[in-house]
Amino acid sequence: MPSPFINAGTYRVYIGNDVFRELNQFLGALPKNTKLFVLADENTRRYCLPELFSKVKLLAGAHVIEVESGEESKNVAVCMKVWRTLGDQDADRGSLLINLGGGVIGDLGGFAASVFKRGIGFVNVPTTLLSQVDASVGGKTGIDLNNLKNEVGVFCDPKGVFIYPPFLETLSKRQVLSGFAEVIKHALVADSKYWKKIKGADLSQLKDLVPLITRSVEIKNKIVTEDPK
């Protein structure tokens, strides 16, 4: 069965254990000479990339660009490293960057892609709860400057978002709670029934998290659709 998706205007947000089937189909529809790149940090390269490569066979020849994890990597210097690597690997305007990681990877990769060669395509494969329920949706990209968060960036939609809930099993409890704070915010500002539902959720159970991810993405998508900027 096809994975459920949410229509986010110019792209779709797929959610479920079978989303890599949709990612394979998406990649298969690209021109055959499309150069593929994956942006990851040391954690997603270790814990998530092997599964991504095993299930998305069309990524077999993709070039992996690794940056250090953490907000400290959202800066001009790291962005220049990404641009240089893309240039050294002969990326052209038809190339595609897959952002495999949390909010930092999505923000950094989205910005780097959106201005390289005046813009190449990118997709988000979020690996943290925070990025799955919020950061990967809405087309906000950016890097930090002069100790100011997201001081430089652009609004640029991804070509698609592929949310694979089992990646959450690689996270610590602290990281899950950090993402759940965003779920709480969505419920409080937008949906009283959702608020009642999340109070009974077992955050250690993936089956309890999947419907929360879906509802939070719906809320985030509705807000950014009404006011993209």
Side-chain angles (χ1 to χ4, degrees), residues 41 44 48 100-104 125-136 163-165 167-168 170-171 175-176 178-179 213:
D41 60 32
T44 55
C48 303
L100 178 68
V104 169
V125 182
T127 60
T128 65
L129 184 57
L130 178 58
S131 61
Q132 289 188 357
V133 301
D134 187 82
S136 63
I163 298 176
Y164 182 63
F167 277 153
L168 300 180
T170 68
L171 304 178
Q175 288 175 311
V176 173
S178 174
I213 295 169

Side-chain angles (χ1 to χ4, degrees), residues 38-215:
V38 178
L39 182 66
D41 60 32
E42 72 277 11
N43 295 317
T44 55
R45 183 165 194 166
R46 177 181 179 183
Y47 295 108
C48 303
L49 190 62
E51 187 159 12
L52 178 67
F53 275 0
S54 71
K55 294 187 175 181
V56 185
K57 301 302 183 183
L58 292 178
L59 284 177
H63 183 88
V64 179
I65 306 173
E66 182 178 331
V67 299
E68 292 184 10
S69 60
E71 188 73 21
E72 296 78 11
S73 286
K74 275 178 59 175
N75 60 57
V76 175
V78 175
C79 212
M80 288 181 67
K81 172 188 174 182
V82 176
W83 290 326
R84 286 196 185 101
T85 303
L86 290 170
D88 290 344
Q89 295 298 319
D90 297 322
D92 54 30
R93 293 182 68 180
S95 299
L96 181 77
L97 180 66
I98 294 100
N99 298 318
L100 178 68
V104 169
I105 291 293
D107 285 354
L108 171 69
F111 175 66
S114 67
V115 297
F116 182 77
K117 299 283 188 181
R118 295 192 175 97
I120 64 172
F122 68 94
V123 301
N124 292 328
V125 182
T127 60
T128 65
L129 184 57
L130 178 58
S131 61
Q132 289 188 357
V133 301
D134 187 82
S136 63
V137 178
K140 290 195 293 185
T141 75
I143 57 174
D144 304 339
L145 183 68
N146 296 330
N147 297 315
L148 297 174
K149 187 174 174 68
N150 298 326
E151 184 75 349
V152 178
V154 298
F155 291 93
C156 185
D157 284 342
K159 298 298 184 182
V161 178
F162 301 85
I163 298 176
Y164 182 63
F167 277 153
L168 300 180
E169 295 175 339
T170 68
L171 304 178
S172 67
K173 182 179 179 181
R174 179 181 178 85
Q175 288 175 311
V176 173
L177 288 174
S178 174
F180 193 65
E182 200 71 22
V183 173
I184 292 172
K185 184 180 80 174
H186 290 158
L188 289 174
V189 303
D191 190 340
S192 59
K193 291 182 179 179
Y194 187 37
W195 169 248
K196 293 177 182 178
K197 184 175 183 178
I198 68 172
K199 288 195 291 185
D202 183 352
L203 301 188
S204 67
Q205 298 295 318
L206 198 61
K207 63 180 178 60
D208 279 17
L209 287 175
V210 173
L212 303 190
I213 295 169
T214 302
R215 182 60 187 135

